[in-house]
Amino acid sequence: MISKEEILQLAGMCKLKLSDEEIEIFGAMFSNVLEQVKGLDMVNTEGIKPLYFLNSANKSLREDVAGDSLDREEVLKNAPEEEYGYFKLKKVMD
Amino acid sequence: MGYKTIVGLEIHVELLTKTKIFCNCVNEFGGDANTHCCPVCLGLPGAIPKLNKGALEFGIKAGLAFNCQISEWVKMDRKHYFYPDLSKGYQVSQDDNPLCRNGYVEIEVEEGLKRIGIQRIHMEEDTGKSIHTEGGDTLVDYNRAGVPLIEIVTAPDINSSEEARMFLENLRNILRYIEVSDCKMEEGSLRCDVNINVVDTETGKKTNITELKNLNSFKAVASAIEYEERRHISLLEKGENTAKETRRWNEVENKTVVMRDKGSADNYRYAVDVDVLPVVIEKEWIDEIRDSLPELPHQKKERFIKEYALPEYDAGVLTQSKELAQFYEETNKYAKDPKQVSNWVMGDVLRRLNDEEMEIEDLKFQPKDLADLLEFINAGKISNNIGKKVLREMFETGEKPEAIIKKKGLIQISDEGELEGIIEKVLDENQQSVIDYKNGKDRALGFIIGQVMKATKGKANPQLVNKMVRERIEKR
């Protein structure tokens, strides 16, 4: 069972605010998912190296040669707002 | 009671590739906002990143120059966090399999050479750039998003601000020598974060590590370390401890201020980026890159000591930058005395460059011009002091030394006949000094010679004047 604190921590990382009711709902859903994934623990993986990719061919590098970029209008098409060619957002400070 | 400062550095360096790390948008500082962007570096859905061979090569080059082991293969990982300058919601970086490991950079401390360990160098992409306006908005430019970076992480082997400064200077020199980065802190192509704590050497009690950010120059790095040393020690002395936190250096007030506390450790949820295919790094390729490495600063320094019989100090100063070393060697091709060239380059040339905050590349004259100037001096055509005046003129106008000497009529007067009249006149006008000198006051001779030099506007051959003045006084 996933704890309420863990759900809140996850929500915090996703910048989400959850109501008590939502915490209940998501808690149950996450617990369900984790329970299912736990099934993998039944497989014995002792002595087996992690495998990240099926193909580790060496042909995936790109030569360092410049190509075209998008037009700025195209780049800013999905911007919520723009100013002087920048994406304009509400102030975000770290 | 003693305290020991423990410092580790994290240095981000932008690579000088032509294009970004995962797409073929140009990698260029400046440029109109959002004009070097494409679906890959904007993180649009469905875009497929492809690793830049040049960026990987530069990373390996840096690793080799810093004596690292190079990984046999490369994969990229996603580092998740939310910030507007990160359009994908994650930064593509390397987590558990960095490109390079276990290297070092040497610095010269009193006891000799000290090795500062490099734990790892990994590849990652830079983020976009945010500007915070006074009107309360944030403006984002994604031109920098996807610029290739290497992050260099040192071992906690640095024990003072001075060691940190020396380490950074050596690191920067090496990176510039191998031409993987221009390392301009003011343009952000080299950025440095500091991790610092202090240990009480008697009790073994340690303070918590403070992370320092916003350090915009090597001087700021050194000042911030010194400030934190004092802060940590004063807390230890009170029996207290520092908070685990990130602090920002405030250059104006010369102090650090809390940025955020690290109580809840960052959770970046690293995961393999399966969009970027893994790459096996062939041993032959590493050998090829190793063979292509240029002479590094410490190797050049050794060679200068041997080849030009320079003192260690001179060789160290002259090899600080590749360009300066090149200027020195080029001048030497035309000059006869390597030590004399060194004296002039380190003295009048470097001093002037420092005063004007210029680089050696900004000089208006060529190495051969300096060699020609020295030849005028060595041939006795102008004095050393006049030579310095000519050099000053060369700095300003870039004119050839010969032209300046001719135009200003600076050729040294070495003609005894011409000097005789001037000397006699000076002696007549300063009879008291003549008597003083005869009575054993040596200083009077200096005064008389000074008057002769003044009368010739410094053009008289000083050795000749010295000899003639003595002779003339004897005859009186």
Side-chain angles (χ1 to χ4, degrees):
Chain A
M1 214 17 214
I2 193 161
S3 70
K4 189 182 169 189
E5 285 68 40
E6 285 171 305
I7 289 291
L8 284 174
Q9 202 193 347
L10 279 173
M13 283 190 289
C14 301
K15 313 282 180 204
L16 294 174
K17 267 194 188 125
L18 302 182
S19 67
D20 283 346
E21 196 188 344
E22 284 167 328
I23 293 170
E24 286 285 319
I25 296 170
F26 281 111
M29 287 166 84
F30 270 96
S31 294
N32 199 357
V33 169
L34 287 173
E35 205 53 47
Q36 288 196 25
V37 176
K38 242 185 189 168
L40 287 173
D41 289 347
M42 291 192 295
V43 183
N44 181 5
T45 54
E46 200 161 317
I48 295 174
K49 280 189 183 170
L51 175 73
Y52 299 106
F53 302 89
L54 287 172
N55 60 332
S56 52
N58 210 4
K59 308 280 177 250
S60 52
L61 287 175
R62 184 178 60 79
E63 292 297 325
D64 185 19
V65 179
D68 292 334
S69 296
L70 294 176
D71 287 336
R72 182 148 77 182
E73 295 77 67
E74 198 79 15
V75 170
L76 293 168
K77 228 173 183 174
N78 293 323
E81 259 189 277
E82 56 163 292
E83 195 165 274
Y84 319 117
Y86 289 81
F87 287 77
K88 185 175 166 184
L89 316 161
K90 273 198 192 132
K91 195 164 191 165
V92 188
M93 283 286 254
D94 198 6
Chain B
M1 208 147 130
Y3 297 99
K4 191 174 175 187
T5 303
I6 303 167
V7 172
L9 303 175
E10 288 172 20
I11 301 120
H12 285 89
V13 176
E14 281 180 351
L15 301 177
L16 277 176
T17 50
K18 293 184 194 74
T19 62
K20 293 187 178 182
I21 185 166
F22 297 120
C23 61
N24 57 16
C25 289
V26 293
N27 166 21
E28 180 187 67
F29 180 78
D32 290 340
N34 295 306
T35 53
H36 304 329
C37 304
C38 76
V40 172
C41 53
L42 289 169
L44 300 186
I48 291 296
K50 223 175 167 194
L51 186 59
N52 180 344
K53 188 179 178 189
L56 188 58
E57 182 179 332
F58 279 8
I60 295 171
K61 222 176 197 179
L64 293 173
F66 296 134
N67 313 291
C68 294
Q69 297 157 2
I70 309 299
S71 177
E72 286 168 16
W73 69 293
V74 165
K75 73 172 168 81
M76 302 303 296
D77 301 291
R78 297 178 178 180
K79 179 183 182 181
H80 297 86
Y81 65 95
F82 279 116
Y83 204 66
D85 58 18
L86 199 61
S87 57
K88 296 189 289 292
Y90 58 84
Q91 180 188 23
V92 183
S93 179
Q94 290 188 297
D95 178 26
D96 53 347
N97 182 32
L99 178 62
C100 320
R101 277 179 231 250
N102 299 331
Y104 63 87
V105 170
E106 285 179 328
I107 58 170
E108 275 174 48
V109 295
E110 251 174 65
E111 301 81 41
L113 285 180
K114 177 175 174 180
R115 277 188 184 183
I116 307 296
I118 289 184
Q119 287 177 340
R120 57 183 282 159
I121 302 177
H122 66 254
M123 313 269 317
E124 60 185 27
E125 59 177 352
D126 209 343
T127 61
K129 208 171 179 177
S130 313
I131 301 169
H132 306 293
T133 68
E134 292 196 356
D137 300 313
T138 290
L139 300 177
V140 189
D141 171 13
Y142 289 104
N143 281 351
R144 203 181 64 179
V147 165
L149 288 180
I150 48 174
E151 178 174 336
I152 303 166
V153 182
T154 79
D157 293 341
I158 297 166
N159 299 116
S160 69
S161 59
E162 178 60 12
E163 286 185 12
R165 194 190 50 74
M166 283 192 287
F167 170 82
L168 286 171
E169 274 173 9
N170 288 0
L171 180 104
R172 181 177 61 184
N173 287 349
I174 292 169
L175 290 168
R176 283 185 177 163
Y177 262 68
I178 62 175
E179 294 177 346
V180 301
S181 176
D182 54 14
C183 296
K184 289 183 182 165
M185 269 189 125
E186 66 280 10
E187 289 183 6
S189 60
L190 188 151
R191 313 194 277 272
C192 176
D193 297 338
V194 172
N195 287 302
I196 180 169
N197 68 339
V198 165
V199 59
D200 182 329
T201 50
E202 263 168 50
T203 63
K205 202 173 179 313
K206 281 181 187 173
T207 52
N208 286 321
I209 295 173
T210 303
E211 187 184 8
L212 302 174
K213 288 187 178 283
N214 195 35
L215 302 159
N216 297 324
S217 64
F218 289 176
K219 194 171 154 266
V221 171
S223 308
I225 288 175
E226 285 159 23
Y227 178 87
E228 282 297 307
E229 263 174 349
R230 290 194 298 272
R231 194 177 70 85
H232 281 239
I233 290 171
S234 77
L235 284 168
L236 266 188
E237 279 173 345
K238 280 190 267 179
E240 293 172 24
N241 200 342
T242 48
K244 273 187 200 156
E245 61 192 6
T246 301
R247 298 174 76 91
R248 184 199 300 271
W249 176 244
N250 183 326
E251 196 132 33
V252 183
E253 295 179 35
N254 244 319
K255 65 177 193 181
T256 64
V257 286
V258 184
M259 218 168 133
R260 59 170 179 250
D261 85 278
K262 287 191 120 184
S264 53
D266 294 322
N267 186 342
Y268 292 124
R269 292 151 290 150
Y270 279 103
V272 178
D273 189 339
V274 286
D275 281 349
V276 186
L277 289 177
V279 177
V280 173
I281 303 175
E282 310 281 352
K283 208 184 154 294
E284 291 74 37
W285 193 35
I286 299 179
D287 290 340
E288 236 173 75
I289 296 172
R290 186 181 283 116
D291 291 342
S292 77
L293 280 180
E295 190 179 35
L296 296 175
H298 66 278
Q299 295 163 337
K300 205 180 271 285
K301 184 179 160 185
E302 289 303 311
R303 180 168 65 79
F304 274 25
I305 293 172
K306 277 196 202 124
E307 200 173 319
Y308 302 114
L310 290 180
E312 198 181 328
Y313 175 78
D314 292 38
V317 173
L318 294 171
T319 53
Q320 258 168 18
S321 86
K322 203 177 188 171
E323 290 73 21
L324 181 65
Q326 204 178 351
F327 185 90
Y328 172 76
E329 291 208 270
E330 195 63 22
T331 308
N332 250 335
K333 276 191 199 162
Y334 305 101
K336 288 179 191 130
D337 180 356
K339 176 61 184 149
Q340 185 192 26
V341 175
S342 165
N343 290 345
W344 278 74
V345 172
M346 291 200 312
D348 289 79
V349 175
L350 266 191
R351 196 178 314 126
R352 179 76 185 251
L353 287 175
N354 288 339
D355 285 352
E356 315 238 332
E357 290 178 17
M358 280 162 55
E359 301 291 331
I360 192 95
E361 305 93 283
D362 303 328
L363 281 182
K364 286 183 183 161
F365 58 88
Q366 300 299 312
K368 186 174 183 302
D369 299 331
L370 177 60
D372 288 346
L373 174 65
L374 298 184
E375 184 49 33
F376 274 107
I377 296 169
N378 295 340
K381 289 182 184 157
I382 59 172
S383 70
N384 214 52
N385 276 336
I386 293 285
K388 290 184 181 206
K389 269 187 207 164
V390 176
L391 185 68
R392 256 173 267 154
E393 186 83 16
M394 286 159 67
F395 258 110
E396 268 141 42
T397 62
E399 263 187 288
K400 302 282 172 210
E402 194 182 354
I404 297 167
I405 291 165
K406 263 194 189 150
K407 188 176 75 183
K408 302 217 158 183
L410 297 173
I411 286 288
Q412 187 158 271
I413 307 170
S414 297
D415 176 33
E416 293 205 23
E418 197 179 339
L419 284 178
E420 198 178 287
I422 299 167
I423 290 173
E424 284 300 335
K425 190 164 169 257
V426 169
L427 292 181
D428 287 344
E429 284 167 3
N430 297 284
Q431 293 193 13
Q432 188 55 44
S433 297
V434 174
I435 295 163
D436 288 348
Y437 177 62
K438 284 194 164 179
N439 288 337
K441 275 195 187 168
D442 282 348
R443 272 199 308 175
L445 183 70
F447 174 76
I448 295 166
I449 291 170
Q451 292 301 310
V452 176
M453 294 309 288
K454 200 174 157 191
T456 60
K457 297 201 177 90
K459 289 187 299 188
N461 178 335
Q463 286 85 23
L464 189 58
V465 171
N466 193 306
K467 179 178 143 259
M468 285 178 69
V469 168
R470 284 168 194 271
E471 284 170 4
R472 297 285 135 184
I473 293 177
E474 286 307 313
K475 284 184 186 160
R476 285 196 174 214

